Amino acid sequence: MNDPTREAQAPAEAARFWENLYRGKDAVWKGDPNPVLAETAAQFTSPGRALDLGCGEGGNTVWLATHGWQVTAVDIAPTALQRLTQHAARAGVTARVSTQQRDLAATFPTGTFGFVSAQYLQTPYDLPRADILRQAAHALTPGGLLLIVDHGSVRPWAWNTNPDTHVPRPEESATNSPWNPPGSPPPAWHPPSARRPAPTAGLQP
């Protein structure tokens, strides 16, 4: 049986989780754009309006803005959006960036966009992700593109949630694999940022 009290608290818990994540560090991300996003968006010859869902501290947003896009950046955490605004100011693209603090589980931005970015739009809380991405597809202008990039393995918040427990990282798992006998070189491993996601079928409006 569903607990309506728990359901009512979930949005507030999600907002608190992400805000605490950003407040707990001076910077969570490096500020660089995702290479897949940069390569994909660079193929547009006439940049227009872009939407960055779950924009974080704005590495992708600022890259898009510096390459001619007018970007609407959305995140649930106000601290992340504050850092994005500062990043945009340093890059001289404040006029090309607008921010919206919102819980995408509750509301979706209005308007249409030629490019929508959903980079690692995943969370430890319940999220109607398919519905959000479907809305994103409907928000595309004719010829627009929805780019979805996901975590391929362990979610970033899953690492060492208990400081007394050692969670092997991917390169360690590869080295200790039973398919890799002792004394043999470990298989090549590349950080997630260097991997390109496998092609997936696009969502149909």
Side-chain angles (χ1 to χ4, degrees):
M1 182 176 179
N2 293 334
D3 181 349
T5 303
R6 175 69 179 177
E7 291 177 358
Q9 292 174 345
E13 291 175 358
R16 187 162 49 249
F17 171 86
W18 288 108
E19 177 62 8
N20 288 342
L21 177 72
Y22 286 103
R23 281 190 179 182
K25 296 181 179 181
D26 291 336
V28 175
W29 314 112
K30 294 180 180 179
D32 300 324
N34 181 286
V36 177
L37 176 138
E39 180 180 346
T40 303
Q43 298 175 22
F44 284 81
T45 56
S46 300
R49 298 184 68 224
L51 175 63
D52 191 2
L53 300 174
C55 60
E57 293 164 321
N60 292 320
T61 293
V62 171
W63 186 93
L64 289 168
T66 58
H67 287 76
W69 293 89
Q70 194 74 33
V71 190
T72 298
V74 179
D75 203 276
I76 197 172
T79 294
L81 294 175
Q82 291 169 7
R83 292 176 182 172
L84 185 158
T85 300
Q86 294 166 358
H87 189 179
R90 291 193 298 269
V93 293
T94 299
R96 290 190 171 275
V97 174
S98 62
T99 61
Q100 295 183 15
Q101 182 193 347
R102 69 169 71 225
D103 181 355
L104 289 169
T107 60
F108 193 87
T110 59
T112 57
F113 307 87
F115 184 70
V116 178
S117 169
Q119 307 284 309
Y120 309 110
L121 189 64
Q122 295 162 294
T123 175
Y125 292 87
D126 288 338
L127 183 73
R129 190 169 179 273
D131 290 339
I132 293 169
L133 295 178
R134 191 171 292 108
Q135 291 180 80
H138 280 287
L140 292 172
T141 56
L145 177 68
L146 167 59
L147 177 64
I148 303 168
V149 178
D150 285 343
H151 295 290
S153 57
V154 179
R155 299 176 298 276
W157 56 80
W159 290 113
N160 286 339
T161 53
N162 182 342
D164 296 326
T165 301
H166 175 68
V167 180
R169 301 189 66 84
E171 63 270 35
E172 296 174 324
S173 298
T175 302
N176 298 327
S177 169
W179 303 107
N180 189 52
S184 63
W189 180 85
H190 303 285
S193 61
R195 300 179 191 155
R196 294 199 56 177
T200 57
L203 289 175
Q204 297 298 320

